[in-house]
Amino acid sequence: MQDPIRTRREDGILEVIVDRPKANAIDLATSRVMGLIFRDFRDDPELRVAIITGAGEKFFSAGWDLKAAAAGDAVDGDYGVGGFGGLQELRDLNKPVICAVNGICCGGGLEIALSTDLILAAPHATFALPEIRSGTVADAASIKLPKRIPYHIAMDMLLTGRWLNVEEAHRWGFVNEIVMADKLMDRAWELARLLASGPPLVYAAIKEIVRDAEGSTFQTAMNKITKRQFATVDKLYSSEDQLEGARAFAEKRAPIWKGK
């Protein structure tokens, strides 16, 4: 039996491919594997950026594996570290994650995509939250989607389960770029290499600030930044990279980021 998750690492970039024919659906065991992969990505100082995509040309992921559920996987079972798909509840993931949507992206698959930082999609990609039709709730999407796109569009998707084509998803802003299918992974790697060449301590600070600010007021978040109450900001402000950035600007050269 082939591994349900395939990985590749190169130049500080980790590529994660969900490979569970035919719909790349995720059962409890697969979710636990994904959690360990993204935990190790988070904790590996050599890795800077991750890309997640689905195998094949039809599905990114159909989300929760209903066949596994029918066979006994509990919907509230042990998804492993990071929750469903390894990303949704993974604490302190302060590195950029790119999602390359190569086809159908629905249910838990869409929730995984919403847990990433940048979403690229092929022209044939489609998006939906069909949980309403099977009598359950798209829990993570109910929390995240109304914060990502206009409220009434999010509620339309949640309440009716209707499908969005890639143009509409791009129009509402949760797809960054539409990329021809045969160029999708090339573009994902191009973007990943750009991010991998950037300042990792700044990325970490950005992600922690953005994550914390979702549940606080502007002034509260600003006060935490200026008082260095974010661990990532405190580390950044005391780092060699902070000085390197200023020196490189003054010397009119490209900075050399060390992540320390």
Side-chain angles (χ1 to χ4, degrees):
M1 178 181 284
Q2 68 183 27
D3 291 336
I5 306 296
R6 294 189 279 117
T7 62
R8 165 193 171 198
R9 57 184 293 163
E10 179 182 312
D11 300 329
I13 299 165
L14 176 70
E15 181 182 79
V16 180
I17 302 172
V18 181
D19 190 2
R20 296 192 75 231
K22 59 180 179 178
N24 293 330
I26 297 168
D27 60 2
L28 290 177
T30 302
S31 181
R32 290 193 288 267
V33 170
M34 294 175 74
L36 295 176
I37 288 170
F38 283 109
R39 181 201 65 186
D40 291 347
F41 162 69
R42 178 195 66 188
D43 296 342
D44 188 336
E46 300 300 317
L47 290 173
R48 300 281 185 91
V49 184
I51 301 168
I52 182 168
T53 191
E57 300 176 353
K58 187 174 181 181
F59 283 92
F60 168 70
S61 175
W64 176 235
D65 188 338
L66 293 178
K67 290 183 179 179
D73 269 12
V75 69
D76 58 350
D78 178 13
Y79 291 107
V81 60
F84 181 80
L87 278 174
Q88 293 187 148
E89 300 172 67
L90 185 61
R91 293 180 179 275
D92 302 323
L93 179 54
N94 292 328
K95 298 177 181 180
V97 181
I98 299 166
C99 183
V101 180
N102 54 309
I104 293 171
C105 178
C106 65
L110 179 50
E111 291 178 328
I112 290 171
L114 290 172
S115 299
T116 67
D117 302 298
L118 298 167
I119 301 177
L120 312 179
H124 67 286
T126 54
F127 305 84
L129 295 165
E131 283 86 345
I132 190 73
R133 296 172 186 171
S134 57
T136 190
V137 62
D139 47 11
S142 297
I143 298 167
K144 292 181 178 182
L145 193 61
K147 297 178 180 179
R148 305 287 192 273
I149 64 175
Y151 172 85
H152 295 99
I153 305 304
M155 293 304 288
D156 183 12
M157 293 182 68
L158 288 162
L159 294 173
T160 71
R162 81 173 179 91
W163 288 82
L164 271 61
N165 61 28
V166 73
E167 288 84 6
E168 185 173 3
H170 183 260
R171 184 164 73 246
W172 297 125
F174 68 85
V175 166
N176 293 87
E177 298 179 30
I178 303 172
V179 185
M180 294 304 297
D182 61 345
K183 301 294 184 184
L184 180 64
M185 293 312 297
D186 290 341
R187 175 57 182 150
W189 273 85
E190 178 185 30
L191 186 55
R193 290 188 180 100
L194 172 65
L195 295 175
S197 70
L201 296 184
V202 178
Y203 293 155
I206 289 169
K207 288 205 64 172
E208 186 177 21
I209 290 168
V210 169
R211 194 168 54 241
D212 186 85
E214 274 197 329
S216 67
T217 65
F218 171 81
Q219 197 58 56
T220 297
M222 283 301 300
N223 290 342
K224 290 180 73 172
I225 294 170
T226 56
K227 294 176 181 177
R228 295 171 65 155
Q229 292 176 347
F230 290 112
T232 54
V233 172
D234 186 54
K235 183 176 182 179
L236 171 66
Y237 285 176
S238 303
S239 69
E240 293 179 29
D241 278 3
Q242 181 83 12
L243 295 174
E244 169 63 9
R247 289 195 192 104
F249 179 81
E251 296 168 9
K252 297 181 180 180
R253 60 172 174 83
I256 301 172
W257 307 117
K258 297 180 179 178
K260 58 182 182 180

